[in-house]
Amino acid sequence: HIPHILNTRGLTGEGAEVGVSSGEFSELLLTYWKGRRLYSIDPWLHVPGDVYLDSANSVQSVQDYRYTETVVKLSRFGERSKIMRLTSTEAATHIPDGSLDFVYIDAQHHYEAVKQDIAAWFPKVKKGGLLCGHDYLDGMKNGSIFGVKQAVDEFVKERGFRLILTMENDYRSWLVFVR
């Protein structure tokens, strides 16, 4: 699992999860990853369904609840946890290039958004670091439109990177070591 990969490779500085929802994965990272600081990034903002069709795109009151839930859940990690209530691209402007050991992208799942997220966050990962994300699939699934696979495959092909996939049958994670 990803915290183990990060620890084994000595990637224990700073990292980011982009797309946090209720904070479960941030909590898992902070529990098992030996890193100094995790940026948990999410706008917790409802987007109209005609703009973004995804089962996680809940009404604003649910988004606000998820934000509060995340703050409470991650508070026990103190300074190791920094929550940024910003969109992916807004948050990326606050992080210096080449400063992160890893970025895990799990924000909006449609093709254009994933392409934008990869473009915004790839420069933030230092050489030897890990650019990765969730939901490596395309098409409609459980009321959500996915274009993650296409965006990741194009990025990997353009850069000549080796793509690593986790073993789950559905909603797999993808990993790329930056060189």
Side-chain angles (χ1 to χ4, degrees):
H1 78 345
I2 289 174
H4 176 74
I5 293 168
L6 295 168
N7 293 336
T8 303
R9 292 189 168 250
L11 298 171
T12 55
E14 295 190 338
E17 181 189 10
V18 181
V20 174
S21 189
S22 298
E24 287 92 0
F25 193 63
S26 283
E27 183 179 35
L28 181 130
L29 285 168
L30 287 162
T31 299
Y32 297 104
W33 173 57
K34 297 175 181 163
R36 184 174 60 249
R37 173 169 292 154
L38 176 68
Y39 296 96
S40 299
I41 298 155
D42 196 306
W44 288 280
L45 184 66
H46 172 74
V47 179
D50 59 335
V51 177
Y52 179 49
L53 183 61
D54 193 291
S55 59
N57 185 20
S58 303
V59 297
Q60 191 58 49
S61 60
V62 172
Q63 297 286 359
D64 292 338
Y65 177 80
R66 287 180 182 153
Y67 169 71
T68 303
E69 192 178 21
T70 300
V71 169
V72 170
K73 196 174 285 177
L74 303 184
S75 65
R76 69 185 171 104
F77 297 102
E79 292 298 308
R80 287 187 63 222
S81 173
K82 177 154 177 56
I83 297 171
M84 299 174 78
R85 192 171 186 175
L86 299 168
T87 67
S88 171
T89 51
E90 287 169 344
T93 65
H94 296 274
I95 306 287
D97 286 355
S99 67
L100 299 178
D101 285 312
F102 79 94
V103 172
Y104 189 86
I105 298 171
D106 190 14
Q108 290 190 7
H109 299 112
H110 59 96
Y111 171 77
E112 286 300 329
V114 176
K115 235 177 127 56
Q116 241 180 4
D117 288 344
I118 291 171
W121 288 98
F122 169 64
K124 308 305 173 184
V125 181
K126 65 184 175 187
K127 300 260 184 275
L130 191 62
L131 179 66
C132 48
H134 198 228
D135 303 314
Y136 181 77
L137 60 127
D138 285 343
M140 179 68 93
K141 186 167 179 100
N142 296 328
S144 302
I145 296 175
F146 292 88
V148 176
K149 182 181 183 303
Q150 180 185 351
V152 170
D153 289 350
E154 287 174 6
F155 169 74
V156 167
K157 187 177 179 188
E158 283 169 18
R159 297 279 175 172
F161 287 137
R162 180 172 163 250
L163 179 64
I164 302 164
L165 299 174
T166 58
M167 301 300 288
E168 299 93 349
N169 291 330
D170 297 327
Y171 307 105
R172 296 188 292 177
S173 288
W174 57 273
L175 300 84
V176 172
F177 286 99
V178 175
R179 56 184 200 301

